[in-house]
Every structure is written in structure tokens, then in C-alpha cells.
Amino acid sequence: MRILITGGAGFIGSHVVEHYQGKADIRVLDNLRTGYRENLDGLDCELVEASILDREALAEAMQDVDYVFHLAALISVPESMENPQGCVDLNVTGLLNVLETAQRFGVKKVVLASSAAVYGDNPTVPKIETMTPEPRSPYAITKLDGEYYCDLYRREGWVNTACLRFFNVFGPRQDPHSAYAAAVPIFIDRARKNEPITIFGDGEQTRDFIYVKDIAAGLAFAAETEAVAGANNIGYGGSITINQLAEKIISLTGSQSKILHAPTRSGDVKHSRASAEKLAATGWQPLYGFEEGLAQTLR
């Protein structure tokens, strides 16, 4: 079996590479825009340094591939608000390049990394796949567009597809120093240094955090399980406020960090929690959980 992971040098992609060690021949396509070579250190894979917008490089990378995990994307909500056109170029045109090339080379299945951001700020929780999408940022809109294109390719019989709507993913190798880093690595990094932890808004927004190794295993499950199709939530169904998250990390690290609050960021949603029953009905089960995942991340 040979797999292709676009964005495979990134945080989540590198964990998919790790998941498939000894199980498949692994090819990674990544332009290293937000990924890092060192994320692949010690892992057996072929790295093709190129963009999904480079159709020639994509065609070379897609040869003899059975499954494609499409994670390459502009992933930051704030960045997408500042650069909507760039977000569309990477997340929509890039995806179409992947789907067209996968069809051309007879790939068995393409699995798209989508996002809970498609639900927007609808106050209803948990989020269920049948809810009407209400995307509030270019990032969320392009992820929803991607789901529609994947479904089109599947319905027309051009290439089999599935989409996983990630909730808040965290774990080792998540970069705390990028301009748009996620909460968990930033909080851990600042707590270790006893530096102030800044929370945007009042901190009472809730999130369903899921450990990255469960995401990687879920992506593999979606690719290799015929019954997984369409859009599927992947989360634990739990809920924690950002204030509670910061307090827990401060406590677990024995930190002296203080919590500060800043204005709410444009495009952020208030409450997010998954119903993962659709994916669970096909046989998927998480192997870890929030507490164990956080402990491993801290280590």
C-alpha cells in the first residue's frame, strides 16, 4: 500500500506519517509553508517539496498511490480573514487539483481534513453533521466548499472520498511560535516560562479538544473503511472553557503564569462540541482521550 499525505510535514500530517510507519510506503507533498522537515525526523517517508498548486509535481507524487490524505491548506482563521483570495487559492483550487489528479491516477480514496469551523457560531451543541452550515470566515467557507467538491466527485463516481470535520486538535509537534498558533501549545509554552497567558475574549468560549494521535488514526480509519463517506465529525464530545484549559495547564506545570484577557478575535466562534456518533457508527473509536492526550503533550 502506498499513501500520499499533502501537508505531511505539518503538525497533523506528520502524525499520519508516524501512524503508517511499517504499514505503508509513505509519500509526503509539502511546500514547508507551515510544515517543518524536522517533524519528519526519524520517520520513513519520501518528501516531495512542492505545492498542491504545482500540478506537475502533484502528478508525479500521485503515481501508484492508493490513498490520499489531503491536509495541505491555509489553516489559520485570522490569516484567512486578512487574505481571503489566498485562502481560496490554497483550499479550493488546491483541493480541486488533488481531486482531479487522484481521479486521473485511479486513487482508491481521498480523505479531506475539514473543520468544525463550518458550523459557525450556531449556539446549538453538540454539533451534528445534519445542521445547516454557518461558516463565518474564509477558512470555514473554503472547508465547506471542499466538502461539497469531495461529495460531487464521490457521487459522480470520479473518485471515492470522505471528509473529517476536525474539532480542536492538539498534541506534540504543534508549533507554539507561529503567528497564528493554537491555544494548547501557546499556553504550555508560556506556562513553562512562567510568562502571562493571553486569552482572547472572556475565556468562557468552549472547545472540544481531541488528541492528534486519535485524529491520525481516524484519518486512516476513514480511508480504509468503505462505510465512511461524506462529512463526519471527529471529536470526543467533551467540552472545556479556554479559562479552564489555561488554569489546568498552569496547575499541571506548576507555573506562576498569570491569565490576561484581550479583545475577541474576528471570526472566532463561541461554543464548539462534537457529536461523533456518525463516525462511531462505522466502527471508529478513539484510543486516547483529552486527559491522557494532554499529559502526553506536556511530557
Side-chain angles (χ1 to χ4, degrees):
M1 177 171 62
R2 174 171 285 129
I3 65 170
L4 171 64
I5 308 164
T6 70
F11 160 51
I12 298 174
S14 66
H15 282 276
V16 180
V17 174
E18 190 172 62
H19 176 86
Y20 272 105
Q21 293 297 289
K23 303 174 185 175
D25 293 326
I26 306 164
R27 188 174 292 149
V28 167
L29 179 78
D30 200 308
N31 66 355
L32 305 180
R33 180 180 181 271
T34 55
Y36 302 95
R37 288 181 183 274
E38 52 263 38
N39 282 345
L40 301 175
D41 285 352
L43 298 175
D44 182 15
C45 66
E46 174 191 355
L47 173 61
V48 178
E49 189 176 340
S51 168
I52 52 175
L53 299 178
D54 182 342
R55 297 174 68 92
E56 185 175 332
L58 190 59
E60 291 181 8
M62 198 80 73
Q63 294 188 40
D64 302 317
V65 163
D66 295 296
Y67 301 108
V68 174
F69 300 93
H70 182 48
L71 284 81
L74 189 154
I75 58 174
S76 164
V77 168
E79 186 180 357
S80 80
M81 298 292 281
E82 295 167 5
N83 184 14
Q85 183 62 59
C87 187
V88 170
D89 290 344
L90 280 174
N91 293 5
V92 180
T93 303
L95 168 67
L96 283 171
N97 288 349
V98 168
L99 289 171
E100 290 170 4
T101 310
Q103 178 187 6
R104 173 182 166 192
F105 285 97
V107 167
K108 293 178 182 178
K109 198 170 189 179
V110 175
V111 181
L112 170 68
S114 187
S115 171
V118 302
Y119 293 112
D121 210 10
N122 186 321
T124 302
V125 289
K127 308 301 184 186
I128 302 171
E129 293 87 349
T130 53
M131 292 171 61
T132 301
E134 299 179 19
R136 298 184 66 234
S137 66
Y139 167 76
I141 292 168
T142 58
K143 285 298 182 182
L144 185 60
D145 286 346
E147 292 182 2
Y148 288 145
Y149 278 118
C150 283
D151 200 48
L152 171 68
Y153 270 71
R154 181 181 60 85
R155 289 197 325 267
E156 294 297 323
W158 297 338
V159 65
N160 198 13
T161 63
C163 307
L164 295 189
R165 290 177 175 172
F166 296 173
F167 279 67
N168 290 80
V169 188
F170 72 96
R173 297 196 291 274
Q174 196 170 20
D175 183 11
H177 302 298
S178 77
Y180 305 116
V184 171
I186 291 177
F187 290 3
I188 291 173
D189 185 58
R190 292 188 176 273
R192 289 176 60 247
K193 299 173 182 175
N194 294 308
E195 294 177 350
I197 292 175
T198 300
I199 294 175
F200 295 97
D202 62 9
E204 289 305 297
Q205 59 267 45
T206 58
R207 296 292 182 265
D208 184 349
F209 290 97
I210 177 169
Y211 187 46
V212 67
K213 292 189 185 300
D214 277 327
I215 288 285
L219 285 163
F221 180 83
E224 298 173 37
T225 305
E226 183 66 27
V228 181
N232 300 265
N233 293 335
I234 183 165
Y236 292 143
S239 181
I240 185 173
T241 70
I242 301 303
N243 285 330
Q244 290 170 336
L245 174 69
E247 291 162 1
K248 180 180 285 287
I249 288 172
I250 288 170
S251 174
L252 290 172
T253 55
S255 175
Q256 301 300 311
S257 293
K258 304 298 182 184
I259 296 175
L260 305 177
H261 290 270
T264 301
R265 294 181 301 187
S266 177
D268 278 357
V269 302
K270 188 69 175 177
H271 299 293
S272 182
R273 177 163 61 91
S275 164
E277 293 180 8
K278 180 181 178 184
L279 191 59
T282 65
W284 175 76
Q285 291 182 332
L287 299 176
Y288 296 88
F290 174 72
E291 297 291 343
E292 183 178 353
L294 185 59
Q296 291 205 19
T297 303
L298 285 165
R299 282 198 294 274

